């Protein structure tokens, strides 16, 4: 069933989520506090959809029809008719809490409110909204149009019908919808973030070549990409923040970022986005 979907926060994740929802046939309203993010949304989304046209997974007509279903709003009042709103704004608890309070007041009483947070408590967001039964986590992975997984996070407050509808929605996007309890890092990051830190620890303590560590995990553990190359792709800053959040939430120092990652963060060697991480990248 096609729906009216609001997406708040039109950065890396939000723009990808908009694209996925349009491709699945939904009508999408995008909102961002920054004018430029709204103004260039259509261009970014169309570029993404055109990749599907080039690959033959979408027709040119479908692409044009999808773009015709996209609009933007500068305020949450634009979500009055939305069936579902997905939040992908800054990863700051208070900012998300404030937004969910506004969303609960601006949307229909039966609208589902979803957060794409990576590490903030969905329960806390639900409670801040004042309509906790309507709130779920829909945790997409980057890049959202490519990665098949959506972790669908439930809290003790979620109405079972709301949660079932959220699973159905994620599956309707063609995604692998995996139910997750609201625990730090959900499933993937709780496992992956400490594993990536262990790869850094192995490099720092053994002096093994980063390329060899990556090749070893690819050939020996079936990883599609080595762990250090993956940190370079995710961004050293993102890995540091995710590690800190999970270590703090679990009270487990082993999950904390390795000192080498903190040093790389200080030096501005963040991986692909700066050209230098565990590997070097051509800036062009
Ligand atoms: N980047 C990733 O790999 C990734 C993966 C999964 C989940 N996430 C989560 O998704 C969320 C967004 O991450 P991102 O990487 O897309 O961030 P981003 O910085 O690329 O985009 C965030 C956008 O939100 C807008 N924004 C911030 N506060 C706002 C507000 N109060 N109202 C309206 N707009 C606001 C900003 O202007 C910006 O355009 C975060 O919670 C992050 O943890 C990120």
């Amino acid at each position: 069933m096609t729906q009216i979907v609001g997406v708040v926060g039109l950065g890396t994740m939000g723009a990808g989520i908009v694209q996925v929802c349009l491709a699945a046939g939904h009508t999408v309203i995008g909102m961002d506090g920054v004018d430029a993010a709204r103004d260039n949304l259509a261009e970014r989304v169309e570029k993404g959809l055109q990749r599907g046209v080039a690959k033959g997974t979408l027709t040119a007509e479908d692409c044009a029809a999808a773009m015709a279903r996209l609009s933007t709003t500068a305020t949450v009042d634009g979500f009055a008719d939305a069936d579902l709103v997905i939040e992908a704004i800054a990863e700051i608890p208070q900012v998300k809490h404030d937004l969910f309070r506004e969303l609960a007041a601006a949307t229909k009483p039966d609208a589902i409110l979803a957060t794409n947070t990576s590490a903030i408590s969905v329960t806390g967001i639900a409670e801040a909204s004042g309509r906790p039964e309507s709130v779920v986590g829909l945790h997409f992975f980057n890049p959202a149009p490519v990665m098949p997984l959506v972790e669908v996070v439930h809290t003790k407050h979620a109405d079972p019908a709301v949660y079932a509808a959220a699973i159905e929605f994620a599956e309707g996007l063609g995604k692998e919808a995996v139910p997750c309890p609201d625990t730090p890092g959900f499933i993937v990051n709780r496992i992956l973030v400490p594993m990536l830190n262990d790869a850094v620890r192995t490099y720092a303590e053994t002096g093994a070549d980063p390329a060899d560590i990556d090749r070893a995990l690819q050939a020996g553990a079936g990883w599609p990409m080595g762990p250090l190359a993956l940190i370079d792709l995710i961004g050293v800053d993102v890995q540091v923040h995710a590690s800190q959040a999970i270590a703090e939430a679990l009270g487990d120092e082993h999950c904390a970022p390795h000192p080498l990652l903190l040093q790389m963060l200080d030096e501005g060697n963040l991986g692909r986005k700066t050209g230098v991480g565990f590997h070097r990248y051509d800036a062009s």
Side-chain angles (χ1 to χ4, degrees), residues 9 11-13 32-34 88-91 95-96 116 118 139-140 142:
T12 307
M13 293 308 295
D32 198 290
V34 173
I89 66 166
E91 185 78 345
V95 179
K96 290 202 195 279
N116 185 50
S118 307
H139 185 220
F140 292 78
N142 187 12

Side-chain angles (χ1 to χ4, degrees), residues 97 120-128 132 135 153-157 182:
H97 291 181
I120 294 172
S121 159
V122 179
T123 306
I125 293 173
E127 288 169 356
V135 177
V153 183
H154 49 83
T155 75
K156 61 183 181 210
H157 303 299
D182 182 25

